[in-house]
């Protein structure tokens, strides 16, 4: 992993860029594993025939899977998940089997001990051929408040 | 039933238990590719002043095991057309992370239900479910907001 990780309050300044963290590529098995762990058995994430009936070329990941990766990245930036006070994500587009998830962020401002960050998770990969997706595009955006050591 | 109407007799909130089990915490941590040892090894958690392994930040989404969608819909009665529903947003507010061995009490309700003009015409509905999780002493551990968007019919 590249630096900086495990940031402490004295290391942080507004506008600071946070190191890119890459997860995946997301495989079918990762989606099934998350379905079982979370209890999310919506067939649109598991069953291609069902997804096609709903107008998607294949099954695709539940948003909370890359959201979990993003929470992991924010936790690593600031010394662990116990420093999180608030975490929010918005889902912008679907994540497909074979996509990598590229997490990156920036420190927005510092209020006392509270550090406010903004971040994004991009999907990077070919996607289903029929959709002609860009090679990389924002899949989730979000913000968080952390209280680093 | 029209937009935003509740099914008659629906309940104001659903109260449920969320057991935070070591095995379930590890399983969820693996599923989100966690490599922080405080989610796996009790000794590593204790070295950092935690009483046991702790759940990853998004762990309480496992409440779907306790309250599946069908039960949530039947009891809270948002009456959403799920073939047109997307998960729009998710937010958590933390007092602390759940610790393995404890049993949290969750209280889920509909926090807001608004209808607005969709960007491509038609009415879009935005429903936010709030779940508040408390520990055995009654203190709040965390709060989760789960926001669904119902797109206008085609």
């Amino acid at each position: 992993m590249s630096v900086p990780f495990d940031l402490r309050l004295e290391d942080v300044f507004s506008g600071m860029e946070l190191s890119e963290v890459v997860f995946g590529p997301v495989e079918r098995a990762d989606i099934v594993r998350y379905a079982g762990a979370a209890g999310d058995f919506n067939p649109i994430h598991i069953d291609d025939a069902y997804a096609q009936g709903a107008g998607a070329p294949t099954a695709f990941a539940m948003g909370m899977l890359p959201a979990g990766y993003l929470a992991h990245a924010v936790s690593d930036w600031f010394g662990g998940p116990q420093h999180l006070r608030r975490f929010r994500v918005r889902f912008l587009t679907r994540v497909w089997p074979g996509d990598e998830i590229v997490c990156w962020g920036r420190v927005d401002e510092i209020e006392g001990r509270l550090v406010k960050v903004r971040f994004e998770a991009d999907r990077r990969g070919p996607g289903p051929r029929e959709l002609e997706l860009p090679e990389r595009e924002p899949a989730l955006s979000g913000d968080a408040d952390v209280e680093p050591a | 039933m029209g937009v935003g109407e509740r099914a008659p007799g629906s309940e104001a909130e659903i109260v449920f238990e969320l057991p935070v089990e070591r095995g379930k915490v590890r399983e969820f941590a693996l599923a989100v590719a966690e490599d922080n040892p405080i989610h796996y090894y009790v000794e590593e958690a204790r070295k950092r002043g935690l009483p046991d392994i702790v759940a990853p930040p998004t762990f309480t989404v496992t409440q779907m095991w306790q309250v599946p969608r069908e039960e949530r819909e039947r009891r809270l009665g948002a009456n959403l057309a799920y073939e047109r529903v997307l998960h729009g947003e998710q937010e958590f507010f933390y007092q602390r992370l759940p610790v393995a061995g404890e049993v949290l009490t969750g209280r889920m309700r509909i926090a807001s239900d608004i209808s607005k003009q969709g960007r491509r015409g038609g009415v879009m509905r935005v429903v936010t479910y709030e779940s508040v999780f408390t520990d055995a002493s009654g203190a709040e551990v965390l709060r989760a907001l789960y926001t669904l968007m119902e797109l206008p019919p085609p």
Side-chain angles (χ1 to χ4, degrees):
Chain A
M1 278 183 188
S2 54
V3 284
F5 282 98
D6 295 337
L7 292 165
R8 301 174 67 85
L9 185 61
E10 66 263 26
D11 303 327
V12 176
F13 54 91
S14 62
M16 181 179 198
E17 304 273 347
L18 301 161
S19 310
E20 199 172 273
V21 189
V22 183
F23 295 91
V26 176
E27 304 293 352
R28 299 287 183 136
D30 298 318
I31 297 172
V32 171
R33 186 198 306 268
Y34 186 86
D40 180 355
F41 295 106
N42 185 339
I44 205 155
H45 303 306
I46 300 164
D47 180 342
D48 279 344
Y50 181 94
Q52 282 153 10
T58 69
F60 55 91
M62 51 293 272
M64 286 309 294
L65 174 56
Y69 295 157
L70 200 38
H72 175 180
V74 178
S75 299
D76 282 356
W77 286 329
F78 294 98
Q82 60 276 40
H83 300 290
L84 271 179
R85 295 294 166 262
R86 188 183 66 81
F87 175 80
R88 174 170 66 161
V89 284
R90 288 200 188 88
F91 301 101
L92 307 175
T93 194
R94 292 171 288 190
V95 167
W96 301 94
D99 282 351
E100 287 184 304
I101 303 299
V102 184
C103 304
W104 54 280
R106 156 191 316 232
V107 174
D108 216 12
E109 53 180 328
I110 303 165
E111 288 179 11
R113 297 199 54 81
L114 213 57
V115 177
K116 295 180 170 284
V117 293
R118 285 176 186 280
F119 39 78
E120 200 170 287
D122 297 342
R123 58 161 292 279
R124 182 169 70 191
R129 205 178 311 123
E130 358 352 18
L131 296 184
E132 297 179 8
L133 298 176
E135 173 69 18
R136 178 172 174 167
E137 62 181 327
L140 295 83
S141 69
D143 48 84
D145 300 337
V146 293
E147 206 179 321
Chain B
M1 225 172 328
V3 166
E5 280 179 44
R6 294 271 171 277
S10 60
E11 299 167 46
E13 66 174 11
I14 298 176
V15 182
F16 59 99
E17 282 190 347
L18 185 77
V20 186
E21 297 156 342
R22 281 182 187 165
K24 199 68 203 167
V25 166
R26 291 177 180 132
E27 181 190 6
F28 188 84
L30 276 173
V32 290
E34 273 293 354
D35 50 10
N36 191 323
I38 64 173
H39 301 305
Y40 300 101
Y41 305 107
V42 178
E43 283 316 306
E44 292 294 325
R46 290 195 177 138
K47 266 192 228 165
R48 290 160 182 81
L50 300 161
D52 207 302
I53 62 172
V54 293
T58 59
F59 174 81
T60 56
V61 299
T62 62
Q63 72 184 80
M64 279 186 279
W65 282 107
Q66 273 69 38
V67 188
R69 177 212 280 181
E70 296 71 24
E71 184 185 346
R72 182 183 78 218
E73 282 302 287
R74 179 169 48 77
R75 295 179 59 186
L76 296 180
N79 192 36
L80 285 159
Y82 270 93
E83 67 282 5
R84 289 185 272 119
V85 166
L86 302 174
H87 189 184
E89 191 174 315
Q90 181 78 33
E91 187 168 18
F92 300 92
F93 297 85
Y94 303 97
Q95 304 300 319
R96 64 176 176 83
L97 292 171
V99 177
E102 69 179 335
V103 179
L104 302 179
T105 299
R107 286 190 165 73
M108 187 182 350
R109 66 184 184 99
I110 295 175
S112 70
D113 183 350
I114 55 173
S115 296
K116 56 185 184 188
Q117 205 59 38
R119 262 171 294 179
R120 293 170 199 158
V123 174
M124 187 168 89
R125 214 174 135 204
V126 181
V127 175
T128 299
Y129 295 89
E130 181 193 60
S131 295
V132 179
F133 294 92
T134 51
D135 64 17
S137 76
E140 184 175 314
V141 175
L142 68 94
R143 197 153 57 86
L145 299 178
Y146 172 57
T147 299
L148 298 179
M149 299 186 312
E150 186 193 69
L151 304 176

